[in-house]
Amino acid sequence: MLKPLFRALFANRLFLAGGGIVVLFALLALAAPALSHAHILREPFKQDQKALDTEGMPLGPERGYWLGTDNLGRDVLARVVHGARVSLTVGTAAMVMATVIGVAVGVLAGFYGGKLDLGLMRFTEMMMTIPPILLAIALASLMDGKIIHLHPASVHWHFLDVELRRGMVSLFLVIGFVCWPGMVRVIRAQVLALKEREYVQAARVLGASNLRLIFRHIMPNLLPIVIVTAAMSTANTILLEAGLGYLGIGVPPPAPSWGAMISDGQAYFTLSPHMVIVPGVAICLTVLAFNLLGQGLQDVLDVQQKR
Amino acid sequence: MPLRLLNRLFWSVVTLLGTATLIFLLTSVVPGDVARIIAGPKATPEVLQQVRQRYHLDQPVPVRLIHYYGQLARGDLGHSFVTDQPVAQAILTRLPCTAALCATAVVMWMLVAIPAGVLTAKYRGSWFDRAILVLATIGLSLPAFWLARMLQYSMGYKLGWFPVAGFRSFGHLLLPAATLAVLYAGYYARLIHTSMAEVLDTAYVRAARAKGQSETAVLFRHAFRNALIPVVTILGMDIAALLGGVLFTESVFALPGIGTLAVQSVFNLDVPVIMGTVMFSATMIVAANLLVDVLYRRIDPRIKAAH
């Protein structure tokens, strides 16, 4: 039953290009510690005197440092690859959170209608009036303070071998919380349309409860639009993570975060532009990949996306 | 009609009140003793007490919230903790710079997006259409702060074509506006494309072609005018969002605009300015929403007929 779908997906160039880059980056991110261990990649934290020139400035792409070094003598390539771990983990976790909230709010508002709809949609609109970056900054400073302890000092995700440090958890919570309002309208519109379909009406007449209607009849048909929105919103969460890192409120140093690498490199831009160019290209490629993936899925699943 | 308008107006005010409450609650639990931020680390307890009294920090949160509503109703956004300047004044003095930047950017991106959108709608599925789609997706995937730095480095510093930073002449706006234009042009080309494609399939366009109108007249006199309506809606919202602060682009090019003010205030924990800039941008967005809704009905009689 899924065969034609897969055939259509693999015939779609946008999906292939986007999916290819995402898979490649995810594999690199997963393999990064092993690569460093096997000395194929350098250590992302190791500061090497020999990796600076005679005046103590960063090296350009040369002498075994494929993408040059940074101002502390760390290998930029290693840091970019290890940075993918931060970016992809935070981006994906935030996307999952945003999708869960967005779908929940959209389904509740669309299905139940009335006062609940009015209240939820007003709240969503209100959230949308605040610029996401400002809201994220306010939340981030709030959560990293001593007021709310929403996260333990660090979380070990053994299956990924990723250590979510203090800051990383609050980071994805913040980004997820900022990104959900953009999804609600699309989901709600779809629920409104699905609710009126004959089979849903028929199930209702046969005495199906509201919960059963939502989970058995509406949710499965929401899946395509949710998948597309989720892919596209991952692009947003990754951009936002980079932006917060750039402003210095991302994962705390010395963790390699692409946004923070750009802001570190700015001071050396005129002499060592690679410090800014390399992480920037990494962000662009990742975000582009998720956007292409979303576009491809949208074409194949035939979802009309409304803004 | 006036009743509908009143209803809309009422909900706009409710949304703004909600935003005010949310941002107030967020900032009132901000980490750190606000009085100590104002008075400095060496302040004596007496001075701290005075500061608390002056800014009503000694009162419970609900009382301060009601006080804040009263302030907002009078159009008073409070005084900056850092400069003691009235926040409303600080925002208004920076508005011209941001407005000029937005206007320049909008003109730039529309000059690219209109021809691109119209032509891709006419030649749907051609190589040109696909190229614009890919370019648009790339535009959506660029992080603003990185693009701004790259343009600043290449066009401003290396080639010396444009001023690098600051705001002393119109020329200083060109690079920042170009940054925004690159980010938005592709997106708008796609919007115009979608809208044009819909209109080109309608009967009246076929009628115009059938009566022997030239293709240019059909495209621009008949189709484009109607295709522009939904685009203008989104343009209105985007301009409002931009006026609320072009955070990254303004900070990179050191433009004295509202975005720079917002970023500075966040790093100084200058609470009244943070709240002021958020409220300003929220007001802009809500007002644009209202305006677009009203204008829409004026421009397009079909909407009125539908109700």
Side-chain angles (χ1 to χ4, degrees), chain B residues 78-156:
Chain B
H79 290 250
S80 158
F81 285 165
V82 178
T83 60
D84 208 36
Q85 190 188 18
V87 176
Q89 191 195 329
I91 291 176
L92 286 181
T93 50
R94 280 151 187 272
L95 184 57
C97 172
T98 304
L101 172 63
C102 290
T104 321
V106 169
V107 170
M108 273 190 193
W109 87 55
M110 285 315 254
L111 278 180
V112 178
I114 291 175
V118 171
L119 287 177
T120 51
K122 178 154 168 47
Y123 301 107
R124 248 170 292 173
S126 65
W127 64 268
F128 180 66
D129 186 16
R130 275 184 225 162
I132 294 287
L133 174 65
V134 171
L135 281 180
T137 317
I138 293 176
L140 278 180
S141 311
L142 294 168
F145 53 91
W146 183 71
L147 180 66
R149 277 278 176 232
M150 297 304 286
L151 287 180
Q152 189 181 40
Y153 176 71
S154 55
M155 305 274 198

Side-chain angles (χ1 to χ4, degrees), chain A residues 129 133 137 266 276 291 307, chain B residues 19 31 141 146 149 187 247 266:
Chain A
T129 58
I133 274 276
I137 295 170
Q266 289 184 132
V276 172
N291 273 328
R307 200 179 122 105
Chain B
T19 311
S141 311
W146 183 71
R149 277 278 176 232
Y187 175 63
L247 303 178
V266 165

Side-chain angles (χ1 to χ4, degrees), chain A residues 103-288:
Chain A
V103 170
V105 173
V107 168
L108 284 178
F111 188 81
Y112 288 102
K115 287 225 173 77
L116 186 67
D117 183 26
L118 192 73
L120 285 176
M121 290 316 286
R122 290 299 145 187
F123 184 67
T124 311
E125 244 170 63
M126 204 183 79
M127 291 284 297
M128 287 178 89
T129 58
I130 306 179
I133 274 276
L134 280 184
L135 185 59
I137 295 170
L139 284 171
S141 57
L142 181 81
M143 289 173 73
D144 237 28
K146 293 168 183 68
I147 313 260
I148 305 179
H149 281 292
L150 268 182
H151 51 75
S154 70
V155 179
H156 291 274
W157 284 7
H158 285 294
F159 61 101
L160 273 181
D161 186 34
V162 171
E163 192 184 356
L164 284 179
R165 286 192 177 282
R166 200 191 137 71
M168 204 138 141
V169 175
S170 58
L171 196 60
F172 88 70
L173 287 177
V174 164
I175 297 174
F177 187 69
V178 170
C179 283
W180 66 265
M183 295 187 175
V184 172
R185 262 186 217 175
V186 189
I187 305 281
R188 176 175 169 271
Q190 187 75 8
V191 173
L192 283 178
L194 286 173
K195 201 170 69 166
E196 301 306 322
R197 293 274 177 87
E198 281 93 353
Y199 61 86
V200 179
Q201 295 292 333
R204 190 194 293 274
V205 172
L206 286 173
S209 67
N210 279 341
L211 275 183
R212 190 180 162 84
L213 284 181
I214 291 178
F215 284 103
R216 279 305 292 266
H217 299 285
I218 292 195
M219 287 292 215
N221 288 299
L222 273 182
L223 204 58
I225 206 166
V226 170
I227 291 174
V228 171
T229 343
M232 297 210 172
S233 82
T234 315
N236 278 333
T237 54
I238 288 177
L239 265 186
L240 205 55
E241 192 271 334
L244 288 176
Y246 176 79
L247 290 174
I249 10 191
V251 266
S257 144
W258 292 340
M261 286 173 74
I262 293 181
S263 83
D264 289 344
Q266 289 184 132
Y268 301 86
F269 203 169
T270 49
L271 290 171
S272 314
H274 66 270
M275 276 181 70
V276 172
I277 296 174
V278 174
V281 171
I283 300 174
C284 291
L285 276 179
T286 316
V287 176
L288 180 65

Side-chain angles (χ1 to χ4, degrees), chain B residues 27-283:
Chain B
T27 47
S28 62
V29 278
V30 97
D33 186 352
V34 176
R36 200 165 270 288
I37 295 167
I38 306 168
K42 286 182 186 162
T44 57
E46 293 80 38
V47 173
L48 283 179
Q49 197 51 41
Q50 274 177 6
V51 168
R52 283 200 189 98
Q53 262 170 16
R54 169 150 183 228
Y55 291 100
H56 307 286
L57 291 169
D58 48 351
Q59 284 161 9
V61 171
V63 176
R64 278 163 55 203
L65 182 59
I66 289 170
H67 184 79
Y68 183 58
Y69 287 151
Q71 243 188 339
L72 283 181
R74 292 193 303 272
D76 175 11
L77 294 173
H79 290 250
S80 158
F81 285 165
V82 178
T83 60
D84 208 36
Q85 190 188 18
V87 176
Q89 191 195 329
I91 291 176
L92 286 181
T93 50
R94 280 151 187 272
L95 184 57
C97 172
T98 304
L101 172 63
C102 290
T104 321
V106 169
V107 170
M108 273 190 193
W109 87 55
M110 285 315 254
L111 278 180
V112 178
I114 291 175
V118 171
L119 287 177
T120 51
K122 178 154 168 47
Y123 301 107
R124 248 170 292 173
S126 65
W127 64 268
F128 180 66
D129 186 16
R130 275 184 225 162
I132 294 287
L133 174 65
V134 171
L135 281 180
T137 317
I138 293 176
L140 278 180
S141 311
L142 294 168
F145 53 91
W146 183 71
L147 180 66
R149 277 278 176 232
M150 297 304 286
L151 287 180
Q152 189 181 40
Y153 176 71
S154 55
M155 305 274 198
Y157 175 76
K158 276 275 170 186
L159 298 171
W161 291 348
F162 301 100
V164 170
F167 181 44
R168 281 190 304 280
S169 69
F170 178 69
H172 285 78
L173 286 179
L174 287 176
L175 266 189
T179 309
L180 291 177
V182 171
L183 296 174
Y184 281 86
Y187 175 63
Y188 272 85
R190 291 306 294 172
L191 278 182
I192 295 171
H193 167 98
T194 315
S195 174
M196 259 315 256
E198 242 168 62
V199 174
L200 283 179
D201 284 341
T202 56
Y204 76 87
V205 168
R206 225 176 309 137
R209 283 213 176 109
K211 79 175 181 188
Q213 287 254 295
S214 75
E215 191 58 27
T216 336
V218 170
L219 281 183
F220 284 95
R221 197 174 310 152
H222 294 272
F224 183 61
R225 281 195 184 180
N226 274 318
L228 208 55
I229 295 176
V231 177
V232 167
T233 320
I234 295 174
L235 185 65
M237 307 296 295
D238 276 343
I239 292 177
L242 284 178
L243 281 178
V246 195
L247 303 178
F248 289 124
T249 312
E250 277 182 8
S251 348
V252 168
F253 288 100
L255 291 176
I258 294 172
T260 322
L261 182 71
V263 171
Q264 274 171 3
S265 67
V266 165
F267 288 122
N268 294 337
L269 274 182
D270 193 346
V271 177
V273 182
I274 301 177
M275 298 208 291
T277 44
V278 170
M279 281 317 292
F280 177 76
S281 102
T283 314

Side-chain angles (χ1 to χ4, degrees), chain A residues 16-31:
Chain A
L16 281 183
I21 304 177
V22 169
V23 169
L24 178 72
F25 276 30
L27 286 179
L28 269 178
L30 282 173

